[in-house]
Amino acid sequence: MEEKERTIEQLFNLGFHAEYPEEKVEYYSAILESDSRDPLLWKEEAVALVWTNTGIAYCDLSEYQKAVYCFEKALELDSLNPDIWYNKGIAHSYLGNHRESVKSYTKALEVDPKYDNAWINKGMLHDILGEYEEAIKCYEHVHVTMEIDPKYALAWNKKGIAYYHLRKYAEAITCFAKVLNMDPDYEDAKNNMANAMKKLKGAGEQ
């Protein structure tokens, strides 16, 4: 049993360090298909991790339906893991299943309300669905982090776009200004700022 268990651990290490996603799928699948896992070592959370890593590898291969299946199998074993829900949301998003994706991000946030990336991705989906008020609410949840971390320039830009669609041009300009304070060369924010200022000026002249 000890030798077999070492073999499974070796498979996991090989899968974890594999350079190509095809290799990861091969190694992780061997673990999942094995009947020699020691249940004391390979508890539900550990097996869920293997399913999750397999799903991420399938995402890298653009095989998103297979990825969703893997994440669902992982959630059967570890339903309170926000990272699994988050990855499931990403896979659904690539499949164009935006409503399912929103549900997955919502589940992730129920477990971890401070999961910033889930708030941002959920907000972006609400943008796509034309639900701009809901999008803004999502971006508001990461407001503090967005203030201090330049990597959230994208979220500020998206928040500004949501305000723009709601014809709240002053609020949109404030968001685009924050983006440009973080990254003065952010071309999309520059264009969005110009458009919002033009709209605001036009509204004032009416």
Side-chain angles (χ1 to χ4, degrees):
M1 174 62 72
E2 182 179 352
E3 180 61 30
K4 288 182 179 180
E5 184 56 42
R6 274 205 305 269
T7 300
I8 292 177
E9 289 181 347
Q10 289 170 358
L11 285 171
F12 182 84
N13 287 329
L14 287 167
F16 186 82
H17 294 290
E19 181 177 359
Y20 301 106
E22 297 93 337
E23 294 177 316
K24 291 180 179 293
V25 169
E26 180 182 351
Y27 291 129
Y28 291 140
S29 295
I31 295 172
L32 294 169
E33 293 167 4
S34 174
D35 59 0
S36 62
R37 297 193 304 267
D38 184 342
L40 294 177
L41 296 176
W42 287 90
K43 296 183 179 180
E44 290 186 343
E45 291 83 357
V47 179
L49 176 61
V50 179
W51 277 114
T52 301
N53 287 355
T54 307
I56 292 171
Y58 275 126
C59 279
D60 291 338
L61 292 168
S62 300
E63 297 188 39
Y64 303 113
Q65 198 63 58
K66 290 182 179 179
V68 169
Y69 172 80
C70 291
F71 297 137
E72 288 176 346
K73 295 295 289 185
L75 288 166
E76 289 176 6
L77 301 170
D78 191 7
S79 63
L80 295 180
N81 188 321
D83 293 328
I84 304 174
W85 284 111
Y86 176 77
N87 281 292
K88 186 183 178 187
I90 290 174
H92 272 305
S93 183
Y94 277 112
L95 287 168
N97 301 332
H98 298 319
R99 291 295 180 192
E100 288 301 317
S101 186
V102 168
K103 289 179 183 178
S104 293
Y105 291 135
T106 300
K107 285 286 189 179
L109 292 164
E110 286 174 1
V111 180
D112 182 3
K114 295 182 179 180
Y115 205 135
D116 283 348
N117 286 340
W119 281 118
I120 292 171
N121 285 11
K122 186 180 177 185
M124 291 171 68
L125 284 169
H126 283 303
D127 275 331
I128 292 171
L129 293 166
E131 298 166 352
Y132 304 115
E133 294 282 6
E134 291 301 315
I136 290 169
K137 290 178 184 178
C138 291
Y139 299 137
E140 289 293 343
H141 278 85
V142 290
H143 182 77
V144 174
T145 307
M146 287 161 64
E147 289 280 9
I148 61 177
D149 194 334
K151 80 175 183 177
Y152 290 105
L154 171 65
W156 272 115
N157 191 49
K158 290 290 186 181
K159 184 179 178 182
I161 292 170
Y163 274 125
Y164 182 91
H165 284 299
L166 291 169
R167 299 181 181 180
K168 296 182 177 180
Y169 303 120
E171 291 89 339
I173 289 169
T174 298
C175 294
F176 299 137
K178 287 181 179 293
V179 177
L180 294 171
N181 283 335
M182 298 180 205
D183 182 359
D185 298 321
Y186 202 120
E187 288 299 327
D188 195 39
K190 288 181 184 179
N191 295 332
N192 291 335
M193 170 78 88
N195 290 334
M197 291 180 72
K198 183 178 178 180
K199 288 287 188 179
L200 184 64
K201 182 180 178 181
E205 292 176 347
Q206 291 178 358

